[in-house]
């Protein structure tokens, strides 16, 4: 676990300009109005052993919770965003990025307004797709949560 490194990256993303186009970035992916950083994750679990996957999910959740504690000490407790609800809404309405993509990958996100930046920060564990790697994600965006 390296919460200090994760927080430094999130701080940097709160100041980094947003790209004009959607695409990969040095931290994961980015687009107009958002950055997504892959902070940590499993390697080689794609379509693999369910027991190994469960261990990876548990590890990423521990890292997310540790990060939540550090972020809460800085910006307050924050909110919990139920991404399952957001995912269900994508069938009926246009959900902006990065929220639509995040809801397809994760079930819940911790959420803070980064004071003085006009940006939102979300931290989530991407574990929804059992055929994909498990990842600890951070999103920095100017799009209000849905």
């Amino acid at each position: 676990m390296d919460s200090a490194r994760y927080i430094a990256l999130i701080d940097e993303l709160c100041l980094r300009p947003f790209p004009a186009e959607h695409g990969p970035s040095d931290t994961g992916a980015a687009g107009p109005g958002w950055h997504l950083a892959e902070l940590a994750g499993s390697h080689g679990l794609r379509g693999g052993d369910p027991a190994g996957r469960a261990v990876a999910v548990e590890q990423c959740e521990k890292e997310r919770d540790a990060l939540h504690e550090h972020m809460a000490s800085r910006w307050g407790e924050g909110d919990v965003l139920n991404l399952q609800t957001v995912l269900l809404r994508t069938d009926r309405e246009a959900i902006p990025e990065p929220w639509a993509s995040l809801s397809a990958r994760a079930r819940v996100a911790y959420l803070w307004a980064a004071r003085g930046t006009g940006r939102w920060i979300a931290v989530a564990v991407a574990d929804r797709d059992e055929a994909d790697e498990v990842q600890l994600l951070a999103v920095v965006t100017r799009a209000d949560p849905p």
Side-chain angles (χ1 to χ4, degrees):
M1 258 184 269
D2 198 350
S3 294
R5 187 172 53 101
Y6 301 156
I7 290 171
L9 176 58
I10 290 167
D11 285 345
E12 192 257 317
L13 293 176
C14 283
L15 300 173
R16 185 185 284 191
F18 296 114
E21 302 290 328
H22 295 276
S25 74
D26 62 328
T27 63
W34 60 272
H35 297 288
L36 181 140
E38 298 167 3
L39 302 177
S42 63
H43 300 287
L45 288 180
R46 205 165 277 189
D49 174 35
R53 181 175 179 73
V55 169
V57 168
E58 184 176 334
Q59 181 62 37
C60 280
E61 287 174 344
K62 284 180 183 178
E63 291 182 8
R64 177 203 60 202
D65 293 347
L67 185 55
H68 173 263
E69 287 182 33
H70 289 287
M71 302 286 277
S73 70
R74 176 189 275 179
W75 287 310
E77 198 57 34
D79 293 316
V80 176
L81 179 61
N82 181 344
L83 293 169
Q84 177 66 28
T85 303
V86 175
L87 181 63
L88 292 172
R89 289 172 51 199
T90 61
D91 287 340
R92 299 184 317 269
E93 61 186 281
I95 301 294
E97 289 299 342
W99 305 113
S101 295
L102 188 61
S103 72
R105 298 176 68 184
R107 300 169 201 284
V108 66
Y110 292 121
L111 183 66
W112 297 269
R115 287 184 222 117
T117 68
R119 297 180 184 201
W120 290 92
I121 299 167
V123 178
V125 174
D127 67 341
R128 189 179 293 277
D129 184 351
E130 294 186 15
D132 202 358
E133 299 292 340
V134 177
Q135 296 174 316
L136 176 61
L137 303 175
V139 169
V140 175
T141 181
R142 66 175 166 230
D144 289 340

